[in-house]
Amino acid sequence: AAAAAAAPTPAASAAAATATSTTAKAPLQNPAEAAAEALIKAATAAVPAAPLYTPPTAPDKQIAELSQLLATRLKAVNVSQGTVSSTHAIWASMDTRLTDYHAGQLSPEYTIQCLLASLAQLQVMVDSAWQWLWDSKQMRGGFMNSLTGEMRWELGAKK
């Protein structure tokens, strides 16, 4: 009787065979995939979750307050974004970046990136300043620079 109790039932034998065959049939993972998966798990475990909201710091609050005060006082003397030309804004940005760079507050890479962006912005403005006009006295068309008033018969050619 003890031997009969120890013997597996047909249902238990079938379940054990299925579990063994399922485990044996599982696809083997490529070593490169396994290494990549391990790296991803290690990297994501080391990175703390970023908070959804970061409250402003004391310097952030002070910067916001000072910016608002400056904007209010500039409006009081009729200076606003609408009253400053784009070229003056580029100059002010360049001057500020260079002052901050020379004071050691900006990296050379960031300063160069900002100056190149300003140059590109200025180039678009210069390129768009040339307008084709008809000169009725000369009876021919030419290009006039709306910024300087200069007239050229061919774009890119000097007078």
Side-chain angles (χ1 to χ4, degrees):
T9 62
S13 295
T18 303
T20 306
S21 66
T22 303
T23 306
K25 289 183 185 177
L28 296 175
Q29 193 173 28
N30 177 332
E33 289 175 353
E37 189 175 304
L39 283 173
I40 291 170
K41 283 181 183 177
T44 55
V47 176
L52 295 177
Y53 170 74
T54 304
T57 62
D60 290 339
K61 289 179 182 177
Q62 186 176 11
I63 289 169
E65 290 169 359
L66 289 171
S67 297
Q68 185 61 41
L69 179 61
L70 282 167
T72 302
R73 293 203 176 157
L74 284 168
K75 285 179 187 174
V77 293
N78 293 327
V79 175
S80 66
Q81 242 179 341
T83 62
V84 176
S85 73
S86 298
T87 51
H88 284 103
I90 291 171
W91 177 83
S93 174
M94 177 201 65
D95 188 55
T96 302
R97 299 281 191 252
L98 291 174
T99 300
D100 291 346
Y101 170 73
H102 290 299
Q105 300 302 310
L106 296 178
S107 71
E109 296 81 13
Y110 180 76
T111 304
I112 290 168
Q113 178 186 352
C114 290
L115 293 175
L116 288 173
S118 292
L119 276 172
Q121 190 178 14
L122 188 58
Q123 187 62 48
V124 168
M125 292 170 63
V126 168
D127 290 345
S128 65
W130 291 97
Q131 301 171 351
W132 189 86
L133 297 174
W134 180 256
D135 186 334
S136 57
K137 290 181 185 176
Q138 297 280 335
M139 295 301 292
R140 67 190 259 196
F143 296 90
M144 186 184 86
N145 186 313
S146 61
L147 298 175
T148 64
E150 179 184 352
M151 187 74 174
R152 293 185 186 172
W153 300 115
E154 294 177 27
L155 193 58
K158 293 286 182 187
K159 278 196 214 183

